[in-house]
Amino acid sequence: MADLLPGMNTQLRRPTSKASIVETRRFYRQQRRALSPEQQVKAARQLVKHCQQQPQFQSAHKVALYLANDGELDPHPLIEHCWQANKDVYLPVLHPFCAGYLVFVHYGPETLMQANRFGIPEPKVECHRLCPIEQLDILFTPLVAFDTKGNRLGMGGGFYDRTLKPVYQRPKPTLIGLAHDCQQADSLPVQPWDIPLQKILTPTQEFNL
Ligand SMILES: Nc1ncnc2c1ncn2[C@@H]1O[C@H](COP(=O)(O)OP(=O)(O)O)[C@@H](O)[C@H]1O
Ligand SMILES: [Mg+2]
């Protein structure tokens, strides 16, 4: 299986209809954490090539990404590509006043970072570096698992669901999930507050909803 694509192992995909959400989360987190550093690097590079082929990405000026945590598909090479292409990159930051919400703060090569309460580095919140969410062209989200209907299972904090509710089905931003191939579920349980994705990109595949 030397040419197996990073994260691609359909035998490990698991139907979720009867499984609890907690078990499903645990299963897919374990899948992505089991990827080797080499698989992670290859997947991250493939993601850049895949995004470069997307007309929507080519024309985007303001792009929200994230810093990888817990085995997530690493968007850092994509962030560096955005910097070189003169796109403005924003990262999610825990809202300083509204618990459970995110704000998006400009991120450049020189930005000073500080760890949030989950240990994830964030840019410091400064008013002039904030981007109102409806001004973002594309908002790329991490996820724990996805299905081909655009359903997204996150880490369980509901941060993206809360934050995206006001802009759901508005012209901007386009909501795109980034994931390893091994994060694809046959179907995911959906909660009333879950905000679905418009597109999911993996290193090898693209799902449009
Ligand atoms: N728009 C919202 N308003 C209030 N609470 C929300 C909203 N969206 C999500 N939540 C809460 O966040 C929690 C986690 O959401 P969930 O969808 O399970 O996590 P995730 O999307 O990270 O997988 C839920 O208990 C839910 O009650
Ligand atoms: Mg959710």
Side-chain angles (χ1 to χ4, degrees):
M1 289 287 227
D3 58 354
L4 194 69
L5 294 161
M8 175 78 96
N9 188 343
T10 49
Q11 284 178 333
L12 291 174
R13 199 184 299 165
R14 137 180 177 163
T16 54
S17 52
K18 292 187 188 140
S20 77
I21 294 177
V22 171
E23 285 171 0
T24 303
R25 240 185 222 114
R26 190 180 300 134
F27 177 84
Y28 286 100
R29 286 183 64 184
Q30 197 277 331
Q31 292 296 301
R32 67 184 188 185
R33 280 200 302 253
L35 296 170
S36 69
E38 293 77 19
Q39 286 175 313
Q40 287 283 0
V41 167
K42 187 174 174 189
R45 286 192 191 135
Q46 282 181 309
L47 177 68
V48 179
K49 288 198 184 126
H50 203 174
C51 273
Q52 281 177 301
Q53 295 160 7
Q54 305 279 326
Q56 213 172 10
F57 177 75
Q58 291 163 6
S59 61
H61 297 294
K62 293 179 188 288
V63 176
L65 279 149
Y66 60 88
L67 299 186
N69 179 43
D70 193 58
E72 290 165 345
L73 179 55
D74 183 1
H76 216 278
L78 184 59
I79 290 173
E80 288 180 3
H81 168 78
C82 288
W83 288 339
Q84 283 162 15
N86 282 322
K87 298 182 194 295
D88 284 319
V89 176
Y90 298 85
L91 291 181
V93 173
L94 299 178
H95 197 297
F97 314 122
C98 296
Y101 288 79
L102 301 169
V103 290
F104 289 86
V105 181
H106 193 264
Y107 178 50
E110 311 295 330
T111 301
L112 294 178
M113 307 294 277
Q114 54 193 24
N116 68 16
R117 63 187 162 90
F118 300 111
I120 301 170
E122 297 180 332
K124 206 171 146 196
V125 177
E126 291 170 309
C127 288
H128 67 281
R129 299 175 72 85
L130 286 170
C131 184
I133 191 163
E134 67 277 8
Q135 289 179 21
L136 292 167
D137 297 306
I138 302 178
L139 193 158
F140 289 101
T141 78
L143 53 83
V144 171
F146 68 94
D147 67 21
T148 53
K149 293 185 184 135
N151 297 315
R152 172 184 182 275
L153 185 69
M155 291 282 272
F159 289 94
Y160 281 97
D161 289 325
R162 281 188 208 89
T163 306
L164 298 181
K165 195 177 169 195
V167 293
Y168 175 56
Q169 293 187 323
R170 301 282 293 271
K172 289 208 289 191
T174 302
L175 307 178
I176 304 181
L178 297 182
H180 294 288
D181 290 286
C182 64
Q183 293 173 260
Q184 183 180 347
D186 287 337
S187 77
L188 284 175
V190 184
Q191 309 289 339
W193 54 81
D194 281 329
I195 303 292
L197 299 162
Q198 287 156 271
K199 185 190 277 264
I200 294 134
L201 287 177
T202 75
T204 66
Q205 296 184 87
E206 169 184 347
F207 302 92
N208 293 291
L209 292 317

